[in-house]
Amino acid sequence: MSNPSVLGWPTFHHAKLTPRTAPLGTVAKPLPLIIDSDPGLDDALAIACAVVRPEINLLAVTSVGGNADVHHCTENALRLLHLYGADDVPVAEGAVGPLTGPLERATEVHGEGGLGNTKLPKAPRTVEPEGAVALMARLLEASPEPVAIAPVGPLTNIALLIRSYPHLSPKISHICLMGGSVGEGNSSASAEFNIYADPTAAEIVFNSGLPITMIGLDVTHHATLDRSILDRLKTLPGASAKTAAELLKFSFDRSAAWGQGEKMAIHDAVAVLHFAIPDLVGVARYHVVVDATQGPARGRTIGDANPYRLKRDKLEPNCDVGLTIDSQRFADIMVDIYSKLP
Ligand code: BDR
Ligand code: CA
């Protein structure tokens, strides 16, 4: 029982926190990173983290249909990078929808265009014509060292990358994905949105043998901000901080209208920050499988850390699962990020 944040779970086995397996960037040796994203309110904050943190060398942002239609997500990625003063980062558009199953959107959470009611100025940079998967492949091929990936939307592009360019898998150092949950879901009681939106792709990724960290709802529901963050952001001079305040206010208002409280989980930022900060997220090793059936648990990530069962079934853990985070420290980090943006 080493993990106080999950003691409330209706489970009899409490996974022990274990050392992380994800690589860490440092100021001296920033980690090359690709973000695959469906911006998205919390995606906007995740991209800000990657732009600011000196431990990360952001190589590209690729888009995927998820929170909103993919063309909105692509445009949002371009405009957010422009706002953050990062026009040098290429953006390419990826999959419209999942490998199998219906198109899922979260526009009721993120607004029709993905960024609430916020309209950002157009970016001078335009989208790379080759598409998300080809851009990722080109960057992996060209990189002298393996590249990390932070998928923070449905896993469609990542599954396509793994299946289309298997020879490049050794060039992927780690996949730290926001998605899934060992406990309760959000799209359904079983499933978290990013996995629910493309369970077949998620199954390919979890079965790939690549090193994975699953930053799921178990940890991201503790990576929250409340309305007090708005006052802190207001003291900052940049347009980026003003935009963050606007995006967050949209979330707080929507959540309050739904009677869901006033705290917002900034899910996607946690997956990016895990590559930059050694002790922010506590993890445990789990064997995770994805339910890609059509049943009521479609999109569920079933995580097992019970040593008896794993041994009995001859299963090895296939990923780190994020379980703990200090909410206050997380909020302070987010303010610090926006204090460093234009
Ligand atoms: C995930 O779903 C999306 O709506 C968010 O951007 C995040 O990636 C949380 O379930
Ligand atoms: Ca997202």
Side-chain angles (χ1 to χ4, degrees):
M1 297 229 180
S2 59
N3 182 3
S5 80
V6 294
L7 286 180
W9 289 357
T11 174
F12 72 92
H13 176 73
H14 295 284
K16 287 195 177 42
L17 296 185
T18 45
R20 56 181 287 150
T21 64
L24 255 183
T26 61
V27 177
K29 199 169 182 310
L31 187 81
L33 176 71
I34 297 171
I35 294 184
D36 186 67
S37 168
D38 57 343
L41 301 166
D42 57 327
D43 306 69
L45 277 72
I47 294 170
C49 293
V51 169
V52 169
R53 291 297 304 206
E55 304 89 343
I56 289 174
N57 172 19
L58 182 60
L59 300 184
V61 176
T62 51
S63 67
V64 62
N67 288 327
D69 285 346
V70 72
H71 60 275
H72 285 309
C73 296
T74 309
E75 193 56 35
N76 292 345
L78 284 164
R79 291 181 186 214
L80 284 163
L81 287 166
H82 179 54
L83 176 73
Y84 299 154
D87 283 315
D88 54 322
V89 176
V91 172
E93 185 161 285
V96 170
L99 299 182
T100 60
L103 207 65
E104 301 291 344
R105 293 288 177 256
T107 46
E108 75 285 6
V109 176
H110 298 264
E112 209 42 52
L115 295 180
N117 296 323
T118 299
K119 300 267 174 285
L120 293 176
K122 207 164 169 45
R125 184 167 191 132
T126 53
V127 67
E128 304 302 305
E130 64 201 306
V133 180
L135 173 65
M136 285 193 269
R138 179 162 65 78
L139 292 171
L140 291 177
E141 195 110 48
S143 174
E145 57 177 315
V147 173
I149 305 180
V152 294
L155 287 161
T156 321
N157 292 338
I158 309 304
L160 289 170
L161 175 71
I162 290 168
R163 282 288 164 92
S164 313
Y165 300 89
H167 67 287
L168 290 177
S169 285
K171 298 295 292 281
I172 301 173
S173 62
H174 201 91
I175 295 177
C176 183
L177 63 93
M178 192 285 131
S181 168
V182 176
E184 191 185 340
N186 57 3
S187 276
S188 73
S190 297
E192 181 279 333
F193 175 78
N194 288 340
I195 309 297
Y196 187 73
D198 195 344
T200 305
E203 194 175 36
I204 291 170
V205 172
F206 277 96
N207 291 345
S208 67
L210 287 165
I212 294 173
T213 298
M214 177 175 114
I215 299 292
L217 301 176
D218 315 294
V219 62
T220 65
H221 275 163
H222 299 282
T224 54
L225 299 176
D226 62 29
R227 276 189 200 266
S228 65
I229 197 80
L230 301 181
D231 292 333
R232 297 179 74 185
L233 289 171
K234 266 184 214 142
T235 65
L236 304 175
S240 301
K242 282 190 181 46
T243 301
E246 208 175 285
L247 299 175
L248 289 165
K249 186 174 178 310
F250 178 89
S251 286
F252 295 137
D253 291 349
R254 195 255 316 136
S255 183
W258 287 2
Q260 289 206 329
E262 294 256 329
K263 281 191 171 179
M264 288 309 308
I266 312 301
H267 310 277
D268 294 347
V270 182
V272 171
L273 290 172
H274 189 53
F275 282 131
I277 305 176
D279 56 350
L280 183 65
V281 178
V283 300
R285 294 292 289 164
Y286 274 80
H287 182 264
V288 173
V289 289
V290 178
D291 184 338
T293 67
Q294 302 295 332
R298 178 172 172 79
R300 179 164 189 78
T301 45
I302 301 140
D304 200 349
N306 182 307
Y308 166 74
R309 279 195 302 259
L310 293 179
K311 191 168 175 218
R312 181 196 65 193
D313 299 341
K314 297 188 177 54
L315 294 172
E316 291 293 326
N318 62 351
C319 67
D320 289 2
V321 171
L323 294 177
T324 60
I325 190 165
D326 176 338
S327 312
Q328 187 54 52
R329 185 174 172 207
F330 174 75
D332 293 345
I333 290 168
M334 291 314 304
V335 174
D336 178 66
I337 296 285
Y338 279 94
S339 75
K340 297 194 165 113
L341 283 169

